[in-house]
Amino acid sequence: MDWRWAWVLGFALIAPAALPAGGAERRQPAVRRRLAAEPLLVADSVALRSAPRRHAPALVALQPGEPLRLLRSWVAPNGRRWLQVQADSAPGTPRRGWLVG
């Protein structure tokens, strides 16, 4: 009879940890898809490159929060994904280039 109480007590201590607070239903957050008209935003400071290569010359440094428009995506033979983008930069600075995707 002792082992039954030990099992019940052990279950009562461990089982609530797997349940959400209040025993409510756990829901996953809704996935928000980006609309085609919305710009992409730069997350970190990155260099806009002249070609889809790691050692290609940098055209301009993009700052976090700068809006970009995706022109096309390309996968290199080594499996690395590159994005050709157009930046809304100041006149006279390069506007199109490549970023590692």
Side-chain angles (χ1 to χ4, degrees), residues 11-98:
F11 182 76
L13 291 174
I14 294 172
L19 297 174
E25 185 178 316
R26 200 182 282 193
R27 294 184 191 179
Q28 295 295 326
V31 175
R32 182 184 176 278
R33 302 226 185 258
R34 188 182 68 82
L35 300 175
E38 293 178 345
L40 298 172
L41 297 177
V42 177
D44 295 324
S45 294
V46 293
L48 191 64
R49 305 226 171 251
S50 61
R53 294 190 324 250
R54 274 191 339 182
H55 301 296
L59 300 172
V60 67
L62 300 175
Q63 300 305 317
E66 190 169 340
L68 303 172
R69 188 168 58 102
L70 180 64
L71 301 175
R72 69 179 175 152
S73 175
W74 181 70
V75 178
N78 63 2
R80 182 172 289 203
R81 184 172 173 214
W82 288 88
L83 304 174
Q84 186 180 30
V85 297
Q86 180 171 341
D88 293 335
S89 52
T93 59
R95 296 176 50 98
R96 288 186 178 188
W98 293 88

